[in-house]
Amino acid sequence: LQCLSNTIPLTDYFLGYDYRGEINRDNFLGTQGALVASYAELIKHIWLGSDSSYIPEDFKLKLQQFAPQFEGSEQQDSQEMLAYLLDGIHEDLNRVKKRPYIEEKDCDGTNDEGDAITAWSNYLERNRSIIVDMFQGQLRNTMTCRNKNKLHTDGKSGCGHCNVKFDPFMYLSLPISDKCNTLDDCLQLYCEEELLEGDEQWYCPKCETHVDATKKIDLWMLPPILIIHLKRFKFSVFGERSKIDRSIRYQLSDWDLSQLKKSKSGSYPLYELYAISNHSGDVR
């Protein structure tokens, strides 16, 4: 909550703008404004209140009505809570009153710039809010068939079918390996090509069966405010959870992601770090 409160453009929106005029009370995916009103009241107390401290009881009540897993006083994952809160605020403030049905289009990678624009426009036909404006970007997800039972025209194994989708995102959940020392290393690992086989096989619409495939995720459009989540927990083959306590260095200012952003259009923002939610201690 402190991280989100110090996201100044969002806080200015609630303190200096009549957000109530954007509440979507007919959206069954939201809370008819109850959650966003409670969050706005919390922000008002934090920034304009005269008390030295404030207990957000009403806010927690509204949040757990929207996301019941946050009931009670057990420890919860802060990243999960942030994701649910931003999603709830988005649904309460969604400017789209009637969401049209839009059939998803399969792309083949031959017109990425145009396909990405179309995908984003289609998304905005169903989702428009201050949360989308500030926090959401776009990823390019490329799947390529590696079916060894078929040969491509160049003699390589795999039918060669390529499926490209442009998906919106609100945060990047980055893996950590033994070789990761910086945030850039984690981001590079996130964007590495991955082989899907065994239980993780992909259904190829051309082969009409589950096949080995490669998966590649690329940054396409970056949001003004970028949320990064580090996957600091790993699981053993027996399902036991442990924490990855490896130190990851990060840049405080002018973090340039232009080398990883694959789209040739749009902005190339330099990011400034202003808030961290840090998990200290073990898994308990």
Side-chain angles (χ1 to χ4, degrees):
L1 288 175
Q2 290 286 11
C3 292
L4 204 57
S5 169
N6 282 276
T7 303
I8 301 305
L10 185 64
T11 292
D12 284 347
Y13 170 84
F14 285 112
L15 295 182
Y17 180 75
D18 185 12
Y19 72 92
R20 296 176 183 84
E22 291 198 323
I23 292 179
N24 188 337
R25 302 190 186 279
D26 299 322
N27 186 1
F28 71 94
L29 295 176
T31 66
Q32 289 71 54
L35 179 61
V36 70
S38 179
Y39 178 76
E41 188 68 17
L42 170 65
I43 292 300
K44 185 188 300 183
H45 278 281
I46 291 176
W47 288 91
L48 303 179
S50 58
D51 298 328
S52 59
S53 62
Y54 176 71
I55 301 174
E57 291 177 316
D58 180 68
F59 167 77
K60 183 180 182 297
L61 177 63
K62 296 298 189 298
L63 176 65
Q64 67 191 34
Q65 288 174 351
F66 175 70
Q69 64 268 41
F70 298 117
E71 291 181 355
S73 57
E74 294 183 359
Q75 179 174 300
Q76 300 289 342
D77 184 81
S78 62
Q79 182 270 337
E80 182 183 3
M81 179 268 184
L82 180 61
Y84 271 94
L85 174 56
L86 289 177
D87 184 59
I89 293 175
H90 159 67
E91 296 296 356
D92 273 358
L93 296 176
N94 195 344
R95 301 173 190 127
V96 178
K97 304 303 180 182
K98 291 186 178 181
R99 297 186 178 189
Y101 171 77
I102 299 176
E103 188 171 351
E104 194 174 71
K105 176 186 175 184
D106 285 335
C107 307
D108 59 7
T110 59
N111 184 30
D112 281 346
E113 295 288 346
D115 290 337
I117 292 172
T118 298
W120 187 250
S121 297
N122 288 342
Y123 181 71
L124 294 182
E125 286 290 316
R126 296 172 55 84
N127 299 275
R128 290 200 309 273
S129 72
I130 186 70
I131 301 301
V132 174
D133 297 341
M134 289 186 180
F135 295 97
Q136 293 195 0
Q138 192 179 42
L139 299 174
R140 179 179 65 185
N141 191 336
T142 305
M143 306 291 292
T144 306
C145 177
R146 294 279 302 274
N147 186 358
K148 295 180 180 179
N149 295 322
K150 289 193 176 184
L151 290 178
H152 194 244
T153 53
D154 59 6
K156 295 181 180 179
S157 62
C159 81
H161 179 70
C162 178
N163 181 271
V164 178
K165 289 185 178 180
F166 292 91
D167 300 316
F169 74 91
M170 191 151 56
Y171 57 89
L172 297 177
S173 193
L174 305 184
I176 301 175
S177 73
D178 293 337
K179 297 180 181 180
C180 291
N181 295 309
T182 69
L183 201 54
D184 289 290
D185 296 333
C186 297
L187 197 52
Q188 289 279 3
L189 183 60
Y190 176 77
C191 294
E192 280 187 4
E193 188 174 78
E194 177 186 2
L195 177 62
L196 303 181
E197 54 187 353
D199 293 339
E200 296 183 330
Q201 281 189 325
W202 174 62
Y203 182 84
C204 174
K206 189 173 180 180
C207 296
E208 297 184 335
T209 186
H210 286 87
V211 299
D212 290 353
T214 56
K215 177 181 179 179
K216 179 76 167 66
I217 296 177
D218 294 302
L219 305 182
W220 192 261
M221 182 178 69
L222 296 169
I225 299 169
L226 180 62
I227 300 175
I228 296 288
H229 167 237
L230 293 178
K231 294 182 178 179
R232 284 207 169 270
F233 296 104
K234 60 181 179 181
F235 295 86
S236 70
V237 292
F238 304 105
E240 297 174 337
R241 187 173 72 158
S242 60
K243 184 179 178 183
I244 302 173
D245 58 3
R246 185 176 184 81
S247 296
I248 301 296
R249 297 196 302 272
Y250 45 84
Q251 199 165 320
L252 293 176
S253 62
D254 295 331
W255 189 35
D256 186 0
L257 300 184
S258 59
Q259 295 301 314
L260 284 174
K261 180 178 176 291
K262 296 303 181 181
S263 173
K264 297 177 182 179
S265 61
S267 61
Y268 295 86
L270 297 177
Y271 288 102
E272 309 287 327
L273 181 67
Y274 69 91
I276 295 177
S277 175
N278 183 37
H279 179 280
S280 60
D282 57 21
V283 297
R284 293 181 295 276

